[in-house]
């Protein structure tokens, strides 16, 4: 049973055989920390190896990595004792296992949270299992994770419903990456606990649930609730760091609230800039006919310095704005005295202009393409890193 | 270049959010779409908008073209682009999840979801993701528009 969970955590599809449940009473040996810890390693390791052998036979394709891990059984046995405290602390269901946890104060607790339900679902879904595992950390319903033997089927159904929802919500690959990392770090802890928990659930032939365990740090609350919350908080702070890189001038600001204010201001200012630039473009539009690529190239070299720092762009903003206002005044009052000489020259020849109109798309697109490409030469290099990061 | 920008998106339906759509980097896609939209607009627009109303209409058209091109360049991969596309097409049947955004953090995520399109029905983590991508696209769009402006104004001054 243990191996099955390990495998599922590793993303290998595996179907739990109903023929392999181990009675709950035999799990008591796993939960007895009163005896020396080493004492149980051998028996546990032996049991684990036995199970591995069984699983090897049942699903030969799934276990090459598992079989190759010689220390796995010992590690899993170790962590079963370590994990038993939190396991017992969270539930009252396993009979006679409530007390042993208290003696293990010094050991860091491992909290588990339901990650996924394996339904013998198709392989791509199974591969996502470790990824979506931590997504269900959102559920604070840790008590649901360890149903007693009697209510096993009911809780399993509840779990499957909620996890199905979680899977739908969280199918992003960046989360998968984080969770994969986390699951690999903590996978050793997971197996014994889950196997013990899920042995009781194995009576109906439903696949057991995966758990992504997060190690609790010393001096911090070791509730499964707070651990899940901490996981969530860490993920959100990762996102905030990403945003900090994007938003200029956010390095000095600390604290999420201030950061968010900065971000909101930045987005609003960007939207205002788009507005303003579109206004300008609307007024300047007919001039794009005769754009020389040589001029564009000269322009593009000077452009990048203007783009990046927000502080320097805001004076540019206001400068442009004033220009636009002046131009608008000019055009409304005296159409002939236009600051843009091209407008004036074209204005005289309306017919000629009308003839030029159908040529606009051909000219403008090609010329502007070249313009923008010139400008990109300088910008894309700097943008690449942020592109990579964000589009993940 | 326009064909290049369109094809990769259509062929890569299986792609995750990884680098697959970036056969053409985002900025080029944005630029090509925006320029095409501008070209189409210029055909329709009169050369000299005499009235202020016409000016306003042109301005709104350009702005709409900017956002539309941004959203279509990104495609339906992002929630904010989907929301924008929905707005463009006029379909207001968006699924309105009445879920409050920040269950835990008590931050100004409500303001954020007002600013970023399509932000109502998302939880904090995906909202931050969307915001990051939205910021990136906005920055690219602003740069493109600025470059166009500068190049056109500079060319006009030389003439």
């Amino acid at each position: 049973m243990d191996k099955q969970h390990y495998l599922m955590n590793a993303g290998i599809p595996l179907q739990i055989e109903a023929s392999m449940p181990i009675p709950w009473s035999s799990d008591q040996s796993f939960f007895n920390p009163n005896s020396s810890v080493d004492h149980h390693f051998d028996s546990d390791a032996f049991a684990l190896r036995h199970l591995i052998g069984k699983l090897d036979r049942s699903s030969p394709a799934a276990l090459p990595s598992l079989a190759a891990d010689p220390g796995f059984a010992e590690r899993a046995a170790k962590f079963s004792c370590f994990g038993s405290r939190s396991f017992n602390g969270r539930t009252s269901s396993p009979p006679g296992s409530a007390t042993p946890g208290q003696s293990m104060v010094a050991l860091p607790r491992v909290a588990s949270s339901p990650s996924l339900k394996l339904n013998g679902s198709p392989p791509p879904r199974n591969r996502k299992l470790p990824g979506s595992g931590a997504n269900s950390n959102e559920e604070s319903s840790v008590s649901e994770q360890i149903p007693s033997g009697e209510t096993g089927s009911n809780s399993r159904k509840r779990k499957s419903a909620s996890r199905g929802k979680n899977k739908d919500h969280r199918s992003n690959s960046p989360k998968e990456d984080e969770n994969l990392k986390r699951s690999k770090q903590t996978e050793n802890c997971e197996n014994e606990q889950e196997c013990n928990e899920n042995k009781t659930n194995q009576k109906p032939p439903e696949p057991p649930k995966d758990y992504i365990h997060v190690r609790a740090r010393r001096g911090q609350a070791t509730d499964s609730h707070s651990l899940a919350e901490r996981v969530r908080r860490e993920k959100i702070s990762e996102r905030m760091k990403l945003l900090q890189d994007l938003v200029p001038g956010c390095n000095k600001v600390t604290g999420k609230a201030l950061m968010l204010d900065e971000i909101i201001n930045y987005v609003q200012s960007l939207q205002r800039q788009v507005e303003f630039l579109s206004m300008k473009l609307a007024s300047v539009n007919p001039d794009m006919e005769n754009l020389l690529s040589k001029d564009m190239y000269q322009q593009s070299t000077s452009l990048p310095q203007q783009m990046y720092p927000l502080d320097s762009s805001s004076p540019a903003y206001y400068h442009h704005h004033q220009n636009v206002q002046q131009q608008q005044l000019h055009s409304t009052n005296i159409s002939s005295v236009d600051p843009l000489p091209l407008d004036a020259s074209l204005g005289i020849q309306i017919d000629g202009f009308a003839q030029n109109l159908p040529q606009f798309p051909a000219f403008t697109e090609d010329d502007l393409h070249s313009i923008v490409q010139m400008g990109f030469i300088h910008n894309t290099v700097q943008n690449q890193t942020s592109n990579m990061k964000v589009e993940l | 270049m326009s064909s290049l920008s369109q094809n990769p998106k259509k062929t890569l339906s299986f792609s995750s959010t990884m680098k697959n759509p970036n056969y053409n980097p985002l900025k080029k896609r944005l630029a090509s779409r925006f320029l095409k939209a501008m070209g189409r607009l210029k055909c329709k627009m009169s050369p000299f908008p005499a009235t202020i109303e016409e000016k306003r209409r042109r301005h709104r058209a350009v702005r709409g073209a900017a956002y539309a091109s941004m959203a279509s360049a990104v495609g339906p991969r992002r929630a904010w682009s989907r929301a924008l596309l929905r707005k463009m097409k006029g379909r207001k049947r968006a699924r309105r999840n009445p879920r409050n955004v920040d269950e835990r953090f008590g931050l100004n995520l409500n303001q954020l979801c007002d600013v970023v399109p399509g932000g109502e029905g998302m939880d904090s983590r995906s909202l931050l993701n969307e915001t990051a991508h939205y910021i990136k696209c906005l920055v690219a769009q602003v740069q493109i528009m600025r470059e166009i402006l500068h190049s056109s104004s500079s060319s006009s001054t030389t003439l």
Side-chain angles (χ1 to χ4, degrees), chain A residues 85-206:
Chain A
R85 184 190 180 199
S86 53
F87 175 75
N88 294 326
R90 276 182 275 109
T91 65
S92 55
S93 51
S97 55
T99 50
Q102 281 80 30
S103 58
M104 311 261 294
V105 184
L107 296 170
R109 268 205 229 172
V110 176
S112 66
S113 55
S115 64
L116 259 200
K117 172 182 96 148
L118 279 182
N119 272 328
S121 46
R125 270 177 131 201
N126 281 334
R127 240 175 278 119
K128 275 165 52 174
L129 290 177
S132 50
N135 296 329
S136 53
N137 286 340
E138 311 295 323
E139 283 182 335
S140 58
S141 57
V142 178
S143 57
E144 277 186 22
Q145 304 167 12
I146 304 134
S148 59
E150 304 84 46
T151 63
S153 57
N154 297 339
S155 58
R156 209 174 300 113
K157 283 174 193 158
R158 260 187 292 123
K159 268 193 265 181
S160 62
S162 55
R163 281 197 203 99
K165 268 187 271 169
N166 274 341
K167 238 198 284 189
D168 292 340
H169 283 315
R170 317 293 171 80
S171 53
N172 294 333
S173 47
K175 287 171 201 152
E176 241 179 85
D177 292 341
E178 309 168 33
N179 298 338
L180 273 170
K181 266 186 271 177
R182 206 167 270 133
S183 65
K184 276 177 192 147
Q185 291 167 8
T186 60
E187 63 190 2
N188 292 329
C189 323
E190 301 158 354
N191 313 310
E192 281 294 330
Q193 255 190 333
E194 294 165 7
C195 302
N196 296 332
E197 297 161 7
N198 288 296
K199 276 167 198 165
T200 59
N201 304 340
Q202 281 316 304
K203 284 137 197 181
E206 269 188 45

Side-chain angles (χ1 to χ4, degrees), chain B residues 139-156:
Chain B
V139 165
Q141 183 74 30
V142 163
Q143 285 177 3
I144 289 168
M145 291 171 74
R146 271 220 193 95
E147 284 165 11
I148 293 175
L149 259 182
H150 282 287
S151 55
S152 66
S153 61
S154 69
S155 69
S156 61

Side-chain angles (χ1 to χ4, degrees), chain B residues 15-59:
Chain B
S15 68
S16 61
T17 57
M18 294 292 176
K19 290 183 57 181
N20 285 329
N22 280 338
Y23 287 156
N24 255 352
L26 174 70
K27 218 172 168 192
K28 286 191 185 157
R29 293 202 317 264
L30 281 177
S32 65
R33 282 188 178 264
F34 182 60
L35 291 169
K36 264 184 280 171
M38 291 287 280
R40 269 181 266 135
L41 272 181
K42 267 173 251 154
C43 290
K44 294 181 204 161
M45 283 196 297
S46 62
F48 303 111
T51 65
I52 298 184
E53 185 53 44
E54 267 183 56
K55 282 204 169 72
R56 276 200 217 118
R57 223 178 298 140
R58 277 174 77 180
H59 163 53

